[in-house]
Amino acid sequence: MSAVVVVGNGIAAHRLVDRLHHHGHRGTVTVLGAEPVAAYNRVLLPSVLDGTLPARALALPGPPDGTVVRLGTRVTGIDRERRLAHASDGTSHPYDHLVLATGARPRIPAVPGLLTEAGRLADGVTPLRTVADCRRVTGGQVAVVGAGVLGVETALALRRGGTRVTLVHPRPYPMNRQLDATAGAILARGLRDHGIRLEPSRQAVAYAPGTLTLDRGQAIGTDSVVVCAGVRPDARIARAAGLAVGTGVVVDDTLTTDDPHIHAIGDCAEEHGTVPGLATTAWDQAERLAATLCGGRARPRASVPVTRLKAPGLDVAAFGPPGPAADVEETVTLQDPARGRYARLELRDQRLVGAVLVGYPQAIAALGALGDQGLPVPTDRLAFLLGAPAERHGPVEMPDDAVLCHCNNVTKRTLADSWRRGARDAAALAAATHATTGCGSCAGAVRDLCAALHAAEPRPEPAVAEAVR
């Protein structure tokens, strides 16, 4: 019997609690969440901005029976010697294992006026990290500062809702960490086609209510400023407790800090010198740590990390870590600027190690499946990119733990289990699991899985009626 205390109530913490139950954890599990609301999927916050989803639709399933969840409870300190987590409500929680899943904090650029003298956000300024942040974005004109993935998704969501949007970015093209210049230029054109005013290679230099001033003296009228300038791991609790902290909370292969009773997962954790910041990585870490705490062992998944723009009408994805992949044996490039399409595949031993794709939705979905399974890319690269069917990359052939919906981290097993419980079509599965409610790119795979499950379902033997004369 062991007591596990989880600090944080985001998707990493939620997944950990679920997997502890799955692996048969014996003991207590207590979750201390700083937000006053139950766990939800913050990846879908842009869908709240455009009205596609109500805030309540982001809620994650409730925790397993017996889990104690204390909402609105912030951890104020850790007594490592006595193994106690002290909380803001005056309570203290003993632990055998403490798991830090504190996520990340938004980075606010040092632009005069964005913060008050007291260090608080000025009126009309907000990041986009919580449901409460969505409610602070008001008015018919909004400036979005930062055109990374979240900034682009936020700008598109606001535009779909009828808001006039200016997107300010200090780099020459949006999503510069994930895309190369060719793909970035195509995305920039797509954003302008959607009615977004894009200001690349520009810096915000001052803010006053109603006006965001850029370098060279350009003033932009705005009712709200949404800051999407990146995040930093929230390692404040770990640092105060004397744990090793680099960019994030430093952990080893078992997700354990330099204190054997304290672990870290998700956006706050630094593993092998990196903080991936991907939901799929957080889920993998939660699975591995749950298995370890229950006496087992799980290896990291070998799948290629995927960054996908969750925006209807713009099919953009990057596979692998940012920057050129190492030890590439083959690079395949396809450019079709007239149709706004571009692809660059980097392969080693016929397998994907990195890629950038714009405008090829079928290839994006297929590459995700191949990367999850470690399968080779079909030898007819052109046909593959153009959407010709390839062998062995459909949802039926995927392993049960393969992620079909990357926006919501929904696995094939979760979808199949929901189907067997009565969610027998794509709409019902969306309601049950939230699959397809993000960028929608997995809709075809979900429909294919439904069809395969229907086809494999045993049919009852027809009744034989005996004729009575």
Side-chain angles (χ1 to χ4, degrees):
M1 299 284 286
S2 66
V4 176
V5 174
V6 184
V7 183
N9 195 27
I11 58 173
H14 182 271
R15 178 67 170 175
L16 174 67
V17 172
D18 176 76
R19 300 314 289 171
L20 284 170
H21 177 74
H22 170 81
H23 287 291
H25 170 71
R26 298 183 63 190
T28 61
V29 177
T30 302
V31 178
L32 306 176
E35 287 189 67
V37 295
Y40 61 91
N41 187 353
R42 71 180 71 252
V43 174
L44 295 180
L45 287 175
S47 297
V48 176
L49 283 181
D50 69 5
T52 303
L53 293 175
R56 65 179 180 276
L58 274 59
L60 294 169
D65 292 343
T67 307
V68 176
V69 179
R70 300 179 72 95
L71 301 177
T73 304
R74 184 171 50 86
V75 172
T76 57
I78 301 171
D79 184 337
R80 292 170 55 186
E81 184 175 348
R82 299 169 62 197
R83 295 187 204 162
L84 291 173
H86 302 299
S88 56
D89 60 1
T91 59
S92 295
H93 303 269
Y95 64 84
D96 295 300
H97 293 279
L98 182 73
V99 181
L100 301 177
T102 48
R105 293 183 293 152
R107 191 180 73 84
I108 307 300
V111 176
L114 291 182
L115 297 176
T116 66
E117 291 184 1
R120 295 186 176 89
L121 291 167
D123 290 341
V125 178
T126 186
L128 194 67
R129 292 291 294 174
T130 68
V131 167
D133 291 336
C134 292
R135 294 192 287 267
R136 286 190 278 269
V137 183
T138 58
Q141 297 186 106
V142 173
V144 178
V145 176
V149 178
L150 179 61
V152 170
E153 291 176 354
T154 298
L156 287 165
L158 289 167
R159 189 72 196 101
R160 287 194 299 272
T163 302
R164 295 190 297 277
V165 181
T166 300
L167 181 56
V168 181
H169 192 54
R171 304 300 181 188
Y173 54 87
M175 290 181 59
N176 57 282
R177 289 192 62 213
Q178 293 81 24
L179 307 181
D180 57 27
T182 302
I186 295 174
L187 174 58
R189 188 175 72 188
L191 293 173
R192 292 187 175 103
D193 289 344
H194 278 72
I196 293 170
R197 175 183 173 184
L198 182 61
E199 296 285 351
S201 300
R202 304 298 299 275
Q203 296 274 1
V205 296
Y207 170 74
T211 304
L212 182 69
T213 303
L214 307 185
D215 50 3
R216 298 193 290 258
Q218 181 182 1
I220 297 173
T222 185
D223 298 306
S224 297
V225 173
V226 182
V227 180
C228 299
V231 297
R232 58 187 58 164
D234 191 347
R236 291 173 293 180
I237 296 171
R239 187 176 287 109
L243 298 171
V245 174
T247 303
V249 184
V250 177
V251 296
D252 61 17
D253 288 339
T254 66
L255 300 160
T256 303
T257 68
D258 49 346
D259 183 324
H261 299 280
I262 301 180
H263 315 267
I265 59 174
D267 287 351
C268 72
E270 178 181 332
E271 186 178 10
H272 300 301
T274 62
V275 182
L278 296 172
T280 48
T281 302
W283 267 42
D284 173 61
Q285 291 176 337
E287 172 65 40
R288 288 157 50 201
L289 182 56
T292 299
L293 295 182
C294 293
R297 183 166 184 166
R299 294 182 178 179
R301 291 184 65 203
S303 60
V304 178
V306 182
T307 301
R308 172 125 196 203
L309 184 67
K310 295 174 285 296
L314 284 175
D315 298 295
V316 180
F319 296 79
D327 301 324
V328 173
E329 296 175 352
E330 178 185 0
T331 300
V332 181
T333 304
L334 178 61
Q335 299 190 50
D336 185 2
R339 297 185 182 182
R341 301 192 299 183
Y342 170 77
R344 189 192 79 238
L345 306 183
E346 295 173 329
L347 308 175
R348 182 171 60 246
D349 190 28
Q350 304 295 316
R351 286 164 173 79
L352 180 71
V353 292
V356 171
L357 292 96
V358 181
Y360 292 102
Q362 291 173 296
I364 289 172
L367 275 179
L370 292 176
D372 275 342
Q373 300 172 73
L375 294 175
V377 175
T379 53
D380 191 340
R381 316 288 197 229
L382 178 61
F384 174 77
L385 289 171
L386 294 176
E391 295 181 359
R392 297 190 303 157
H393 66 258
V396 178
E397 294 81 11
M398 286 184 174
D400 286 345
D401 61 352
V403 178
L404 263 67
C405 176
H406 286 275
C407 298
N408 296 293
N409 287 301
V410 183
T411 63
K412 175 186 172 182
R413 178 186 290 110
T414 299
L415 287 164
D417 288 347
S418 296
W419 185 90
R420 295 183 184 102
R421 288 194 295 266
R424 292 304 182 96
D425 57 28
L429 284 171
T433 68
H434 291 170
T436 75
T437 62
C439 66
S441 64
C442 62
V446 172
R447 287 194 297 269
D448 289 348
L449 182 61
C450 276
L453 291 169
H454 274 295
E457 186 177 28
R459 296 288 186 262
E461 294 293 331
V464 178
E466 182 179 353
V468 178
R469 295 184 182 273

